[in-house]
Amino acid sequence: MPRNTPQLLPPFSRPASRVAIRRASSYQSDLSALLYETLHVFDLPVRAKTVLLKANLVGLDPRCLTNTHPAVIGAAREAFLRLGAAEVLIGDGPSMDRDSQAVVESMRLREYAGPLSRTFVDLNVDDVERVVLKTHASRLKELYLPRTVRGVDFLVSMPKLKTHHWAGVTLSLKNMFGIVPGGCYGWPKNILHWAGIDNSILDLNAAARPDFAIVDGIIGMEGNGPIQGESRPCGVLILGDDPVAVDSTCARVMGLLPERIKHIARAATLLGHMEPDKISQLGESIESTRTPFALLKEFSVLREA
Amino acid sequence: MTAQSSSDSSQNALFIERVCAPYLTGAQNEDGGWGFQRGSQSRVEPTAWALLALLESASDDAADDATARGLQCLLKAQLTDGSWPAAAGQDQGCWVTSLACLALLSQGQFRESLARGICWLTDERPGEAGRWFRLLRRLRGVRHTVAQNDFYYGWSWTSGTASWVEPTALALIAMRNSPPELLPAQVQSRIQLAEAMLYDRMSPGGGWNCGNPLVYGVPGEPQVCQTAWALLALRDHSERPEVEKSLAWLEANWDRIESPGTLALACIALDVLGRNHADIRNSLCNFYEKNEIMWNVPAVSAAVLAMSGRHEWATRSNPRKKT
């Protein structure tokens, strides 16, 4: 039974979105308490529901530099359980390494999230169902998507704060590439690149729009991301009920102009808010947490003046 | 294929018989196919893997029956153009066609299906082989983002997209192991281009990742899985320094592997290329004891193929002319 996907609405008919920026100096902080306290404010409809934390697990990551840090994933799982969720699953379909078990073992996920046999869903090899795409921004007409993603009650996109050498940044919207199953489309999910990365991001998020986003910005990645960039300590978790608003806020924290990031600007026409006056900011201010990220010269146009 | 001691061989046979074979027969679906996990949708990839494993190790009536039902399911999934789709309902074939062909190779009675699969593979060209792509590339000039020669191409994951290491290696193995009389005339030129593509995509220090050796001038890390597949595809080139270098990389890195599926593939590749590491098989058994719950059908099947030590599915025949 497909979940009730949030409606696609143009920005003028959407209520304001809420985004919180919380400081977290390290992965050793009490992230569970921090997330619980913040999520509580959002009053999310997760009681007795199944939640899927869609992490960003790109590939093997023994130094925890490229993937969403397991401490953040484990803390989010704990926080949603404390909020009354019946089940909190963790899932992704790594794009660069087809052996998802090797990926989660390399980053020691079980040490933070407990036994994974009933919790972790390898979205690359999950059962699939045909989904006709609604938006036709790219030339893709349909995709086979994981049943777990379609079936959960509450979908949370959990990326790491990173630059990306094709898309400019990879945040909660781009993170949804991971739901496209490698078992159908390969490693990497090259069909999305050929269909146009920016437009595919819009199509994919329209087909499976996250209900919430939690961005691991404690240590991000700058330069030649999403794999070969440099670590960039930023000391924040950024979370909110609108992936476009969350990504726009992340971009501003990174010293970038979201309106110049194609996929964010396009998503703002249908999936959420990009303009600051339609985003209700909680916690820290953007100014107080701004940490300019280094960019490849191809993307210097994204930088704020 | 490998120099296993008799006590190692009997231990491996026991592991297959007591652990792997029951898992595979128990995971078979009503329709004869296998899903990635027990109880999940039948798909071509896990079905082909399970068949390869059972065909190489089948030792009882239950396994024979499972194999027969699995082969029928695989044949039923073949599309009219000779290819196989990744999931039921898809009307376009893709990279799993190579795996399906490998599973049919040992069964003489399915030559017609096999021939149609190989024909489709021979005709299937990746996106960068298209005229428009080449014209656009010429007009735009050379791209500096990734360092690769797009004039060499192999096979893509899905139709109309770019060549990558793993689907290219799988297609090469399927073609090389097919009976020569089933291969279309133009197959040799495809094989040569694909082999050239694999060498072009090798990481600077040996080994392969999915197919990006350098991005913005930064070398990509090789990965065990793709390196194992590429080495299996290039096994007749053991004299080439690239193969030697990549084998050395794999030998130096297999003990860092933390999952059974990849470890089994590494074991197969090292075996087939004549590098005997008896301790790999012990590590594989240990993985099972530590963490059996995360095993899935392809991983268990790969473990069977590694443990059997025969590797006929990967080394059956060689119609390829040396280039």
Side-chain angles (χ1 to χ4, degrees):
Chain A
M1 183 76 168
R3 70 199 184 92
N4 290 323
T5 312
Q7 280 190 300
L8 306 180
L9 295 171
F12 59 82
S13 58
R14 281 182 174 275
S17 305
R18 291 175 299 166
V19 177
I21 303 176
R22 300 299 309 266
R23 281 193 196 278
S25 58
S26 82
Y27 292 110
Q28 283 73 49
S29 311
D30 188 353
L31 300 178
S32 173
L34 183 73
L35 283 175
Y36 174 74
E37 180 191 299
T38 313
L39 291 172
H40 195 72
V41 173
F42 282 87
D43 192 23
L44 302 173
V46 295
R47 183 163 293 282
K49 299 292 170 75
T50 301
V51 175
L52 173 63
L53 306 177
K54 195 289 176 194
N56 181 218
L57 313 180
V58 187
L60 299 179
D61 189 20
R63 294 188 294 153
C64 293
L65 298 177
T66 52
N67 298 345
T68 310
H69 197 284
V72 180
I73 301 170
R77 180 172 144 71
E78 210 175 305
F80 277 107
L81 286 171
R82 281 181 71 192
L83 287 168
E87 191 177 21
V88 182
L89 304 171
I90 300 165
D92 195 14
S95 60
M96 304 306 286
D97 197 312
R98 67 143 61 231
D99 190 338
S100 298
Q101 183 176 353
V103 172
V104 298
E105 296 292 356
S106 76
M107 58 192 278
R108 308 278 167 240
L109 182 58
R110 74 177 70 236
E111 288 172 21
Y112 294 89
L116 297 175
S117 56
R118 293 189 184 175
T119 307
F120 182 77
V121 185
D122 182 353
L123 299 178
N124 279 328
V125 297
D126 196 22
D127 282 353
V128 291
E129 62 187 50
R130 178 172 171 261
V131 177
V132 177
L133 300 175
K134 305 169 190 170
T135 37
H136 303 294
S138 75
R139 59 190 153 91
L140 297 171
K141 293 186 172 60
E142 63 176 38
L143 282 171
Y144 280 71
L145 295 179
R147 282 220 167 129
T148 301
V149 171
R150 303 277 295 166
V152 294
D153 302 303
F154 199 80
L155 176 60
V156 182
S157 180
M158 288 193 67
K160 194 173 182 74
L161 191 73
K162 292 192 288 189
T163 52
H164 190 282
H165 57 211
W166 303 118
V169 293
T170 172
L171 301 164
S172 64
L173 294 164
K174 170 70 174 63
N175 182 38
M176 296 308 283
F177 264 34
I179 69 167
V180 174
C184 291
Y185 300 104
W187 290 259
K189 291 104 191 250
N190 197 212
I191 190 170
L192 303 174
H193 303 151
W194 280 70
I197 291 178
D198 299 311
N199 288 333
S200 297
I201 293 173
L202 180 58
D203 281 343
L204 205 47
N205 279 274
R209 184 182 183 272
D211 301 282
F212 202 79
I214 301 175
V215 182
D216 167 13
I218 295 175
I219 297 180
M221 179 180 281
E222 63 181 5
N224 186 12
I227 300 170
Q228 296 170 319
E230 299 293 324
S231 288
R232 182 69 165 118
C234 198
V236 290
L237 292 174
I238 300 173
L239 45 164
D241 57 11
D242 167 0
V244 183
V246 169
D247 286 9
S248 302
T249 303
C250 288
R252 292 180 178 112
V253 168
M254 296 163 87
L256 309 177
L257 294 164
E259 57 274 23
R260 293 194 186 166
I261 299 168
K262 283 182 194 163
H263 68 265
I264 296 180
R266 284 178 199 173
T269 62
L270 205 57
L271 298 172
H273 289 303
M274 178 177 66
E275 298 304 328
D277 61 345
K278 296 289 263 178
I279 302 172
S280 165
Q281 203 74 50
L282 313 171
E284 306 292 331
S285 68
I286 291 171
E287 292 68 31
S288 70
T289 53
R290 183 167 283 135
T291 309
F293 274 46
L295 296 172
L296 289 170
K297 67 175 185 322
E298 287 80 353
F299 290 101
S300 53
V301 67
L302 306 183
R303 197 184 299 285
E304 289 175 334
Chain B
M1 193 74 199
T2 53
Q4 290 183 47
S5 74
S6 61
S7 72
D8 281 348
S9 296
S10 56
Q11 253 188 343
N12 296 340
L14 267 182
F15 183 72
I16 293 173
E17 191 187 314
R18 291 188 182 167
V19 176
C20 302
Y23 176 96
L24 290 177
T25 49
Q28 189 172 27
N29 289 328
E30 283 284 308
D31 63 5
W34 280 265
F36 284 96
Q37 312 278 350
R38 200 190 293 257
S40 60
Q41 293 167 335
S42 291
R43 302 270 287 272
V44 171
E45 184 189 353
T47 299
W49 271 109
L51 284 170
L52 284 169
L54 291 172
L55 287 165
E56 190 138 308
S57 68
S59 56
D60 59 24
D61 291 346
D64 289 346
D65 175 60
T67 304
R69 294 198 300 122
L71 284 164
Q72 286 309 317
C73 179
L74 194 61
L75 292 173
K76 220 192 264 181
Q78 189 172 24
L79 299 175
T80 50
D81 64 2
S83 66
W84 275 266
Q90 289 185 308
D91 56 8
Q92 265 204 322
C94 66
W95 62 280
V96 297
T97 300
S98 301
L99 273 175
C101 288
L102 279 170
L104 294 182
L105 264 167
S106 67
Q107 305 295 300
Q109 69 270 39
F110 304 129
R111 285 170 68 88
E112 190 264 333
S113 283
L114 175 61
R116 291 199 296 124
I118 293 291
C119 239
W120 182 84
L121 276 175
T122 308
D123 291 341
E124 174 68 5
R125 282 173 163 68
E128 74 266 30
R131 282 185 196 156
W132 277 112
F133 181 90
R134 287 171 179 248
L135 180 66
L136 276 175
R137 186 181 48 194
R138 198 172 298 167
L139 292 174
R140 283 178 185 164
V142 180
R143 288 183 309 158
H144 294 288
T145 313
V146 289
Q148 64 191 44
N149 186 341
D150 285 332
F151 283 96
Y152 301 138
Y153 59 82
W155 280 268
S156 54
W157 292 102
T158 55
S159 270
T161 60
S163 307
W164 296 90
V165 167
E166 189 173 326
T168 298
L170 282 168
L172 281 173
I173 297 166
M175 287 178 165
R176 197 188 46 213
N177 291 3
S178 295
E181 64 275 17
L182 294 188
L183 297 173
Q186 66 274 31
V187 84
Q188 291 303 337
S189 62
R190 288 298 314 268
I191 288 175
Q192 284 173 23
L193 271 175
E195 287 176 346
M197 177 232 141
L198 287 182
Y199 287 121
D200 182 59
R201 303 288 184 93
M202 194 186 84
S203 296
W208 283 264
N209 57 29
C210 60
N212 285 327
L214 286 165
V215 181
Y216 286 106
V218 182
E221 292 268 326
Q223 293 170 342
V224 172
C225 215
Q226 279 80 8
T227 300
W229 281 121
L231 285 171
L232 285 168
L234 298 170
R235 72 183 167 90
D236 292 337
H237 297 224
S238 55
E239 75 289 354
R240 295 254 321 213
E242 296 97 327
V243 172
E244 189 58 42
K245 202 172 179 182
S246 298
L247 260 175
W249 180 87
L250 187 57
E251 286 189 292
N253 284 281
W254 74 260
D255 62 350
R256 293 184 205 164
I257 299 169
E258 297 189 82
S259 90
T262 301
L263 187 64
L265 264 182
C267 176
I268 294 166
L270 290 169
D271 267 1
V272 167
L273 280 111
R275 307 294 174 101
N276 187 25
H277 289 270
D279 37 348
I280 285 197
R281 291 186 177 77
N282 295 336
S283 300
L284 207 44
C285 295
N286 292 340
F287 265 125
Y288 179 79
E289 282 162 18
K290 210 167 61 181
N291 191 18
E292 81 279 15
I293 209 79
M294 291 271 288
W295 282 50
N296 58 32
V297 169
V300 173
S301 305
V304 171
L305 296 170
M307 289 294 192
S308 82
R310 293 208 296 271
H311 312 316
E312 283 171 25
W313 65 279
T315 58
R316 192 159 278 113
S317 63
N318 183 13
R320 200 182 62 82
K321 287 177 194 148
K322 285 255 180 190
T323 53

